Amino acid sequence: MALLDIQNLTFTYAGCNSPVLQAIDLQVQKGEFLLLCGASGCGKTTLLQLLKKQLSPNGTQSGEILFDGTRITEMEERDSVRRIGYVRQDPDAQIVCDRVWHELAFALESLGEPTDRIRRKVAEICSFFGIGEWYHQTTDTLSGGQKQILALASVMACEPDLLILDEPTAMLDPIAATHFLACVRRIHAEFGTTVILAEHRLEELFSACDRIAWMDAGRMLFSTTPRETLIKLSAHSQPERYLPALPSAVRLFWMLKGEGDCPLTVRDGAQFLRTHFQNAIRSLDQAPLSTSSKPVAISIEDGYFRYTREGTDVLRGVSLSVYEGEHLCILGANGVGKSTLLRVLGGVSRLWKGKYRLWGKKLREFSPKVLYESQFAWLPQDPKTLFVHDTVEADLKESTSLRSLSAAEAEARIEDICEQLSIKHLRGRHPYDLSGGERQRAAVAKLLLREPKILLLDEPTKGLDAYDKERLASILTAWKGEGRVIVTVTHDVEFAAAFADRCALFFDGQVISAEAPVPFFSGNRFYTTAARRMTYPYYENTVTVEMAATLCLQNGRIKEAELQ
Amino acid sequence: MKKDLFVAFVILFVVILIFSGVEIQSVDEYYLTHLDDIREDSETVFLTVRCDEALEHIGQMNVELLASGLLPSNGVILARTEYVLREGDSVYEILDRAMRHNRIPTEYVYSSDGGVYVKGMGHLYEYDCGPLSGWSFSVNGEPAQSSCNRLELSDGDEIVWSYTCSLGLFSAQEGGGGQ
Amino acid sequence: MTNLHPLTAFGLFFSVIVLTMLTMHPVLLLTSYFSAVLLCGVLRGARHLLKSLAYSIPVMLMLTLLNPIFVHRGTHILFFLNGNPVTLEAVAYGASSSLMLLSLFYWFQCFGIVITEEKLTYLFGRVSPRLALVLSMSLSLLPCLRRKFLEIDDAQRALGVYGKGGYVDRLRAKLSSLSILLTWALESSVERARSMRARGYGLPGRTAYSLYRRTRRDVVSGVLLLLLFCVTLPLLLSGWATFSYYPTLCSITWSFHFWGAYAPLCMLCAFPLLLEGGERFKWRYWTSKI
């Protein structure tokens, strides 16, 4: 008997007309690792929430969900708590206690376990997850990655049969994400816990999971093994829609119309290349960088910055120039000070030593009004902090009020922006009711309506799926073309490789290098794109899957005879 | 460093301010009063200070006070003495001069409406003998109706200050004391 | 001392602080003061202690001199200030009360070092597990809210809402930032509540996990402390070790009554010092054997 049996499930939210889930059929066997894929808004979260009684949303449900033979709605409360564990996206929304040890003991306390048993369990869990060092810390001092591990550990303390994870790495940087997913895989491998994971970051997971279930617009398209996924996807209409979501190796395979086994990992992809394509042409011709002839928008020379007088310098001798018309991506590990650099660039924080020039002039030559209303626009990590009013409409109107336009003009501008960003249908909604991607676009709309010269983005791709990332990138590229500047701080290497004009690496308080994506990522062996890792050393200077595909096609296939 | 210096200056300033407003006298200086000689034509009044009622109510008395032996056994703190009445003197001025001359420590309370009342005299303070105890005075046998600095005196007046343990039943000092 | 069970530690500080507040006898106060200072020095380090002592001297002086300004009773008059006598007895009383205040200060400092936030939560939580959880959550909420407000503040500042207009406009902008915080907090609290329910909050029979194990040492110390406290309290209240300041300073009598109240207080004050000193001595002793 399957551990989880979803039969013909249809669900409509209370107060809505159209169903969010339509006729979903899915069986999950005991000990299986199921990967749930699909674009934002396809219904993944709703489906996962319906699996846990306490989290089920309000609405009408038809069809059955059976957990180990019992209906989810009829499960005993204690059973539901103990046997099904749920980890969600936002680490801050899950952690309730002030101390790590208390958080770990929370679920066991609720179940009424005696202190001795809790003590043993907690000790075990800490050792397994490596939490021992920060056992006594307060939870607000933990990093995002640590918080998610803590959430996972506190859920695992009950030893659930089914572990459900809803985009757990969305808010994490790549290193923390890798560490977290490794923990999940360990749990699956060592305990045989059934895992259902909904994710966008498929690069590492495609090879790790047992099955992939793909959803689209509330329907389950298929569920099959990873290798068959591509075949199933290509059978659908408009397969290009799903392409960006796939891992690099799979994408390459698709673009090159490969035959045989589909490669899943970087290593598989590299092998696929070597066995099927020649490498007479080693790299594509690169157009030289043209930005150095453009005027300098912002320049920092030997800049130092610290937050408190007694603290250490976060920026230690930073030298950086940002040119007009370019999109600069600043990359680097988590917590090193990239956001601080962005603040300094945006004039929000002042250097205590070093030169800062905006369009060649000193910062104090600009009044704060001019600075914030005409020059800079800053998109923070959490776009929620931008919205003051109850509707998106009201916030957009506030932006246009800066320019003293007539009502008709303002309305025309708002219409235009909403059209570009596809948020027309969201104008009357509360900003907090929107999904991550929608809110991001609404925030960008609010900022673009202010008509700034320099757009500063802090981790704009956090929590977005591949499709939303592409859309954001195209919006930014379209906007950039009009003689303005974009500076992005991110650790999304793939995004930077595909859409930036220049990339800079921030490390140890300094900007280490600032070059075009191709030389930048080609110069790195570790901190680089999957495409680069796949193609090196077979091909050079190849940082995106598109470039790899082009090169392969230029080179031509290896004839069968030459394979001997 | 600068902040510390600033704070030091402020403190110094405050200290100087305080010191300029205070007046320090040594014991002898305070008690040095010049009593006028009694001459034939000078106006005089008679002052007595007694605490025998307190001695009658030993049971209610403050233990330490009793143990100290500071109260006169005969109940007389100041025997009937004649003092020269100066121009505009009230009971308060006479008392003050007499107490200073005899080196009897007296504590006055200056109330907000300008009245003065005696809190303690010769180590005997109000409430030392129960909740209704305190100092009261009479002029020419009449219990006082106003505070001691409001009562003008004339030649030959008899002022008697006595410590009572049942304030309110006898004379009460206006503006202060028990009740 | 930090290894002591929170209940025992709390009991110790409670006893010592209450007893210090109830007495005005200079010998008792001095004992309490020196024990507190010594303990603070042991727990905090000598440098910190010396600095704090240096700052406490002006405070002591001020408090000592404050009393004679208002109280003029006493037989030994030192001089007259604005017509009022400044007596030795009043100064002595001032000195004693400043001693009491300062010893309370140092006891509270030690209390703060030994009984951490966690232990305090534990102590409150013994009343009910739910209370402990609520306390724990509230404690985590404050820094979380503060952090979020800073984020919101930054974003709004970058929008330029604080730059324009007069004071009133800026105030209004700050208030709107606060309203964003409120919306976020409400939203976040709903999410948190769901997360709690998903992990079983609300099920009957909740227990409270405590980090602290009761050892034999804790129990024995606790009983001892309780005994000493119960002995000293009624003695002090019924006046076994009183000291009078007015109208004259009484002499310090080493009577049976005095020792009856003083001895247990001495033992109480010495207890934490012995504990700390004992631990350190043992450490030195054993390491010297290596």
Side-chain angles (χ1 to χ4, degrees):
Chain A
M1 183 177 54
L3 186 66
L4 190 67
D5 194 358
I6 305 175
Q7 295 164 3
N8 203 18
L9 178 70
T10 303
F11 183 80
T12 320
Y13 274 111
C16 278
N17 295 329
S18 49
V20 161
L21 298 170
Q22 285 183 39
I24 305 266
D25 268 307
L26 186 66
Q27 279 83 38
V28 182
Q29 303 298 329
K30 215 167 160 67
E32 213 177 0
F33 189 149
L34 178 77
L35 185 63
L36 193 59
C37 304
S40 295
C42 68
K44 294 196 306 288
T45 305
T46 314
L47 178 62
L48 293 177
Q49 281 179 344
L50 283 169
L51 297 178
K52 187 128 170 130
K53 196 167 133 189
Q54 289 89 354
L55 297 174
S56 299
N58 282 340
T60 37
Q61 177 186 330
S62 72
E64 303 259 306
I65 312 177
L66 297 171
F67 178 77
D68 212 10
T70 348
R71 287 210 192 88
I72 293 270
T73 43
E74 287 167 15
M75 272 180 85
E76 257 205 49
E77 192 84 17
R78 251 174 227 276
D79 251 359
S80 175
V81 168
R82 193 184 273 279
R83 297 184 68 188
I84 306 179
Y86 196 101
V87 177
R88 13 163 37 153
Q89 231 192 63
D90 188 3
D92 283 323
Q94 295 178 91
I95 303 217
V96 296
C97 298
D98 68 324
R99 296 267 167 180
V100 170
W101 60 263
H102 204 171
E103 186 71 26
L104 288 168
F106 184 91
L108 295 168
E109 281 179 346
S110 310
L111 291 169
E113 300 276 346
T115 301
D116 289 330
R117 199 113 52 95
I118 299 181
R119 209 190 296 276
R120 254 228 325 260
K121 246 324 143 46
V122 167
E124 256 197 304
I125 290 284
C126 279
S127 315
F128 185 82
F129 285 97
I131 298 181
E133 307 246 315
W134 28 289
Y135 181 66
H136 283 282
Q137 268 187 274
T138 50
T139 48
D140 59 308
T141 54
L142 301 176
S143 70
Q146 283 175 318
K147 280 190 190 153
Q148 278 296 59
I149 298 269
L150 178 59
L152 182 62
S154 94
V155 156
M156 288 307 294
C158 307
E159 291 172 30
D161 295 324
L162 174 64
L163 181 61
I164 304 173
L165 304 124
D166 187 5
E167 293 188 39
T169 63
M171 302 278 171
L172 306 181
D173 65 280
I175 312 282
T178 312
H179 182 53
F180 182 86
L181 292 173
C183 279
V184 173
R185 284 156 69 177
R186 257 182 86 195
I187 290 171
H188 174 250
E190 293 187 29
F191 301 128
T193 316
T194 316
V195 177
I196 302 181
L197 175 63
E199 249 301 340
H200 293 310
R201 256 189 245 253
L202 302 180
E203 203 71 52
E204 297 150 28
L205 290 169
F206 242 61
S207 53
C209 63
D210 295 327
R211 266 201 314 147
I212 296 181
W214 203 290
M215 283 180 70
D216 188 29
R219 286 178 197 281
M220 183 69 70
L221 291 183
F222 57 83
S223 82
T224 179
T225 61
R227 289 208 194 267
E228 303 281 302
T229 305
L230 197 55
I231 302 172
K232 286 278 168 87
L233 273 178
S234 19
H236 278 265
S237 61
Q238 290 188 309
E240 299 79 42
R241 274 181 51 202
Y242 311 115
L243 193 58
L246 296 167
S248 310
V250 180
R251 277 211 324 269
L252 189 64
F253 186 80
W254 179 326
M255 284 175 155
L256 297 171
K257 300 195 183 12
E259 288 145 12
D261 272 341
C262 172
L264 300 173
T265 60
V266 165
R267 205 179 59 150
D268 289 346
Q271 185 149 17
F272 166 76
L273 277 179
R274 275 199 294 276
T275 48
H276 289 91
F277 291 92
Q278 299 173 16
N279 67 338
I281 308 168
R282 298 294 292 273
S283 76
L284 294 171
D285 294 323
Q286 285 300 307
L289 197 62
S290 59
T291 55
S292 45
S293 56
K294 293 270 183 64
V296 175
I298 312 173
S299 81
I300 300 180
E301 253 179 62
D302 205 31
Y304 285 79
F305 177 80
R306 61 169 79 148
Y307 279 106
T308 56
R309 201 156 62 101
E310 304 83 24
T312 46
D313 282 318
V314 178
L315 302 180
R316 291 190 279 278
V318 167
S319 293
L320 179 66
S321 297
V322 185
Y323 298 97
E324 187 201 313
E326 78 166 349
H327 179 172
L328 174 71
C329 269
I330 302 178
L331 299 149
N334 208 34
V336 296
K338 302 196 299 293
S339 296
T340 312
L341 179 58
L342 199 69
R343 290 169 68 111
V344 168
L345 283 170
V348 177
S349 301
R350 305 287 167 101
L351 300 168
W352 66 266
K353 187 171 143 179
K355 261 178 34 180
Y356 175 93
R357 295 281 179 272
L358 178 63
W359 303 112
K361 293 191 260 198
K362 289 201 194 136
L363 196 60
R364 57 164 163 265
E365 293 179 46
F366 296 88
S367 72
K369 193 173 152 71
V370 165
L371 215 51
Y372 298 133
E373 291 179 12
S374 343
Q375 291 293 334
F376 290 112
W378 190 47
L379 183 70
Q381 281 200 33
D382 185 5
K384 279 192 191 149
T385 56
L386 275 183
F387 295 102
V388 188
H389 299 283
D390 282 339
T391 57
V392 173
E393 180 86 37
D395 272 296
L396 294 178
K397 282 219 169 77
E398 194 185 315
S399 288
T400 51
S401 69
L402 287 176
R403 294 273 162 255
S404 51
L405 306 160
S406 69
E409 266 186 25
E411 184 59 34
R413 293 240 183 117
I414 294 178
E415 277 277 335
D416 192 33
I417 281 274
C418 290
E419 186 68 50
Q420 278 180 36
L421 294 167
S422 319
I423 53 171
K424 270 217 308 235
H425 59 290
L426 304 170
R427 274 170 74 163
R429 307 255 300 265
H430 193 289
Y432 283 45
D433 284 336
L434 306 172
S435 76
E438 291 171 339
R439 193 164 35 235
Q440 185 87 283
R441 296 207 300 277
V444 171
K446 178 170 172 161
L447 291 178
L448 290 185
L449 277 171
R450 298 163 70 90
E451 291 170 28
K453 297 257 182 5
I454 304 173
L455 193 58
L456 304 164
L457 305 157
D458 198 351
E459 302 284 353
T461 59
K462 217 178 203 183
L464 296 183
D465 68 17
Y467 186 63
D468 279 333
K469 278 189 209 178
E470 282 203 341
R471 205 150 39 154
L472 179 69
S474 65
I475 295 165
L476 292 177
T477 317
W479 184 80
K480 175 193 72 163
E482 299 159 51
R484 299 171 175 138
V485 184
I486 306 177
V487 182
T488 308
V489 155
T490 182
H491 23 62
D492 192 340
V493 167
E494 313 283 343
F495 178 84
F499 304 115
D501 291 322
R502 269 198 318 154
C503 296
L505 181 63
F506 184 81
F507 174 74
D508 198 27
Q510 293 177 339
V511 172
I512 303 290
S513 57
E515 302 171 284
V518 174
F520 182 83
F521 289 111
S522 307
N524 296 346
R525 187 84 184 89
F526 305 104
Y527 198 78
T528 184
T529 61
R532 160 93 179 135
R533 278 182 272 130
M534 259 198 307
T535 56
Y536 185 81
Y538 205 61
Y539 296 133
E540 303 268 348
N541 299 331
T542 314
V543 295
T544 62
V545 172
E546 287 74 22
M547 289 169 76
T550 319
L551 257 181
C552 287
L553 291 172
Q554 278 185 9
N555 271 302
R557 286 198 130 84
I558 296 177
K559 300 285 181 288
E560 285 296 328
E562 292 166 9
L563 272 171
Q564 305 302 343
Chain B
M1 182 62 184
K2 274 194 198 153
K3 206 167 79 157
D4 294 329
L5 271 176
F6 178 72
V7 169
F9 264 118
V10 167
I11 292 178
L12 201 65
F13 181 72
V14 167
V15 165
I16 291 174
L17 204 68
I18 291 176
F19 268 108
S20 62
V22 305
E23 185 198 337
I24 303 189
Q25 298 165 298
S26 76
V27 181
D28 294 315
E29 271 176 28
Y30 183 79
Y31 284 144
L32 185 72
T33 42
H34 178 68
L35 283 183
D36 301 323
D37 296 323
I38 302 176
R39 292 196 292 273
E40 298 226 342
D41 55 340
S42 48
E43 296 181 337
T44 60
V45 291
F46 297 92
L47 178 65
T48 321
V49 181
R50 27 186 335 131
C51 62
D52 32 355
E53 195 176 328
L55 294 173
E56 285 165 29
H57 293 83
I58 282 185
Q60 289 179 335
M61 196 182 290
N62 187 348
V63 171
E64 284 95 30
L65 188 58
L66 191 61
S68 65
L70 286 168
L71 295 177
S73 47
N74 61 355
V76 176
I77 293 178
L78 181 69
R80 187 170 177 275
T81 326
E82 195 180 357
Y83 291 100
V84 172
L85 181 67
R86 291 188 197 159
E87 185 68 39
D89 264 356
S90 66
V91 176
Y92 166 64
E93 270 95 23
I94 296 286
L95 186 69
D96 187 39
R97 231 181 295 140
M99 291 294 109
R100 283 203 208 201
H101 182 71
N102 289 290
R103 302 180 94 103
I104 299 169
T106 316
E107 191 170 340
Y108 306 94
V109 175
Y110 304 92
S111 66
S112 47
D113 59 352
V116 179
Y117 85 93
V118 170
K119 194 166 168 191
M121 212 164 7
H123 303 293
L124 190 59
Y125 276 71
E126 58 178 356
Y127 307 125
D128 268 350
C129 212
L132 294 175
S133 55
W135 285 103
S136 63
F137 70 99
S138 65
V139 179
N140 296 329
E142 294 258 332
Q145 297 304 322
S146 52
S147 51
C148 55
N149 64 335
R150 296 215 174 101
L151 218 53
E152 287 262 341
L153 293 168
S154 15
D155 187 22
D157 279 341
E158 282 275 345
I159 311 167
V160 177
W161 280 87
S162 50
Y163 190 85
T164 165
C165 296
S166 40
L167 215 55
L169 292 185
F170 289 101
S171 57
Q173 295 183 59
E174 188 89 5
Q179 281 284 128
Chain C
M1 255 213 103
T2 42
N3 296 329
L4 214 57
H5 194 267
L7 268 175
T8 322
F10 184 78
L12 169 70
F13 284 109
F14 178 78
S15 323
V16 147
I17 287 172
V18 164
L19 292 176
T20 308
M21 287 201 282
L22 287 176
T23 178
M24 275 306 273
H25 198 290
V27 174
L28 269 70
L29 285 176
L30 270 168
T31 317
S32 182
Y33 178 75
F34 278 117
S35 320
V37 167
L38 265 163
L39 187 64
C40 213
V42 163
L43 289 174
R44 263 240 159 103
R47 243 193 73 169
H48 204 280
L49 181 69
L50 285 172
K51 227 169 90 165
S52 125
L53 279 175
Y55 279 116
S56 74
I57 288 177
V59 173
M60 204 172 211
L61 241 82
M62 198 181 76
L63 286 171
T64 312
L65 297 174
L66 211 63
N67 193 51
I69 295 176
F70 294 101
V71 180
H72 306 109
R73 295 189 74 158
T75 45
H76 298 94
I77 305 177
L78 300 168
F79 57 88
F80 278 84
L81 191 71
N82 279 1
N84 280 312
V86 169
T87 60
L88 183 69
E89 287 81 12
V91 175
Y93 191 87
S96 293
S97 40
S98 77
L99 204 65
M100 189 215 276
L101 239 80
L102 280 168
S103 37
L104 284 176
F105 172 73
Y106 283 109
W107 280 123
F108 273 113
Q109 278 226 326
C110 299
F111 178 89
I113 298 170
V114 171
I115 301 200
T116 57
E117 209 176 78
E118 276 188 299
K119 292 187 188 163
L120 213 61
T121 320
Y122 165 76
L123 285 169
F124 279 111
R126 277 187 71 83
V127 179
S128 103
R130 203 167 276 197
L131 187 62
L133 182 66
V134 167
L135 256 153
S136 161
M137 287 179 64
S138 322
L139 282 172
S140 78
L141 213 59
L142 284 166
C144 180
L145 284 174
R146 189 163 38 134
R147 228 180 339 125
K148 201 67 192 179
F149 183 73
L150 285 174
E151 267 186 56
I152 296 172
D153 200 44
D154 270 346
Q156 292 296 313
R157 183 174 301 121
L159 283 177
V161 297
Y162 292 145
K164 55 181 169 204
Y167 185 67
V168 179
D169 285 309
R170 248 174 290 174
L171 196 66
R172 201 176 297 147
K174 262 294 195 302
L175 283 173
S176 76
S177 296
L178 264 171
S179 85
I180 301 178
L181 180 69
L182 195 67
T183 318
W184 176 86
L186 285 170
E187 170 108 2
S188 159
S189 72
V190 170
E191 293 300 312
R192 264 186 228 223
R194 298 177 88 197
S195 159
M196 283 168 74
R197 276 207 61 212
R199 282 183 293 160
Y201 181 76
L203 287 172
R206 186 187 186 82
T207 52
Y209 174 56
S210 76
L211 282 178
Y212 308 107
R213 318 185 70 170
R214 218 190 337 247
T215 60
R216 203 178 56 171
R217 186 176 75 151
D218 293 318
V219 177
V220 166
S221 325
V223 168
L224 211 71
L225 290 171
L226 191 69
L227 229 73
L228 289 171
F229 180 66
C230 291
V231 161
T232 325
L233 185 70
L235 293 183
L236 280 183
L237 284 175
S238 58
W240 269 41
T242 46
F243 188 86
S244 61
Y245 293 85
Y246 308 110
T248 10
L249 294 170
C250 77
S251 53
I252 300 178
T253 50
W254 306 97
S255 65
F256 165 73
H257 279 208
F258 170 76
W259 283 109
Y262 182 55
L265 182 74
C266 230
M267 285 195 267
L268 260 173
C269 290
F271 186 86
L273 286 164
L274 285 173
L275 211 65
E276 269 297 308
E279 281 174 13
R280 280 165 205 244
F281 179 72
K282 255 195 269 184
W283 172 246
R284 289 251 172 87
Y285 177 70
W286 288 114
T287 50
S288 73
K289 287 253 169 179
I290 298 172

